[in-house]
Amino acid sequence: MRVLIFNGSLDMHPNSSAINISNYLSNQLKTHGVDVEIFHLADAQIPFFNMAINSEEAANMNNLFREADVHIWLTPLYHGGMTGIMKNCLDWLELSAKKERPYLTNKVVGMICWSAGGHAMQGINAMESVAKALRAWTLPYSVPVMRNHLYEPGSAVFTKEYQQKFNLLIQLLLEAKQTLK
């Protein structure tokens, strides 16, 4: 099984929430014996969506997204939704529109969003809307994160509560993919 972790943040600071969550998920998934690819938008050089241009980066991203069995999308909350660059990247899946199985047909997607306050669910709702438009199945369990409660006080270790939530997301994603075979 191949799992894609789609990091929708441009924050590549080694101790950023985006990097910490991506790495935690990757490490946990590897204990289940699955292949994991982390797609960092900050490294991807995906251009602004424009079907009139020929973008090798966007074509490679399309292949990566379509070949993965399971996705986990994560983003900070930006003005009530996912980051604009994340949405732009997903728009490039239009390159697959004429394929036999276009977009993310029958992929299973789990979602994580974090915010300083209690509104992270808005970002998850935005991602869910796009995933469904791309013909993916969304996991009915997601992880909205209140960033102030993500870490043990004074450390870079996730609280037990969030470790359990992330682990449950992983478990449910792996089970969902087995069910959809």
Side-chain angles (χ1 to χ4, degrees):
M1 180 181 298
R2 294 170 31 158
V3 178
L4 174 72
I5 298 171
F6 178 25
N7 177 351
S9 172
L10 289 178
D11 188 354
M12 293 303 290
H13 185 274
N15 288 321
S16 70
S17 296
I19 297 299
N20 288 340
I21 294 170
S22 295
N23 290 340
Y24 179 86
L25 295 169
S26 178
N27 292 335
Q28 293 300 311
L29 284 160
K30 287 176 182 175
T31 67
H32 292 277
V34 300
D35 293 326
V36 179
E37 175 89 25
I38 301 176
F39 186 82
H40 293 288
L41 275 172
D43 296 332
Q45 299 180 350
I46 302 296
F48 285 117
F49 178 67
N50 180 348
M51 289 293 287
I53 64 173
N54 188 8
S55 168
E56 183 178 338
E57 293 84 4
N60 292 338
M61 180 273 313
N62 253 268
N63 291 333
L64 180 67
F65 277 51
R66 291 172 36 79
E67 290 170 1
D69 298 303
V70 172
H71 290 211
I72 301 175
W73 295 358
L74 53 114
T75 183
L77 181 69
Y78 271 37
H79 307 286
M82 69 185 95
T83 61
I85 193 164
M86 183 178 195
K87 174 63 169 71
N88 178 71
C89 182
L90 292 167
D91 287 342
W92 276 103
L93 287 166
E94 189 63 27
L95 291 176
S96 70
K98 295 186 182 188
K99 303 261 187 208
E100 183 178 332
R101 292 174 56 114
Y103 313 115
L104 299 178
T105 300
N106 291 335
K107 304 295 180 191
V108 180
V109 181
M111 299 172 187
I112 299 170
C113 183
W114 60 94
S115 67
H119 299 289
M121 198 64 203
Q122 292 175 342
I124 289 169
N125 291 338
M127 289 187 289
E128 185 174 280
S129 177
V130 172
K132 287 178 178 178
L134 292 170
R135 303 182 186 177
W137 294 97
T138 58
L139 198 65
Y141 175 82
S142 56
V143 184
V145 176
M146 288 183 60
R147 197 174 47 216
N148 296 349
H149 298 142
L150 181 58
Y151 299 102
E152 293 290 343
S155 80
V157 175
F158 295 137
T159 62
K160 295 279 188 237
E161 174 187 6
Y162 279 107
Q163 287 180 42
Q164 290 172 343
K165 289 178 179 188
F166 295 147
N167 293 342
L168 181 57
L169 179 82
I170 289 168
Q171 176 189 339
L172 293 171
L173 272 173
L174 297 178
E175 289 173 5
K177 184 56 188 168
Q178 295 300 335
T179 303
L180 290 174
K181 273 190 173 181

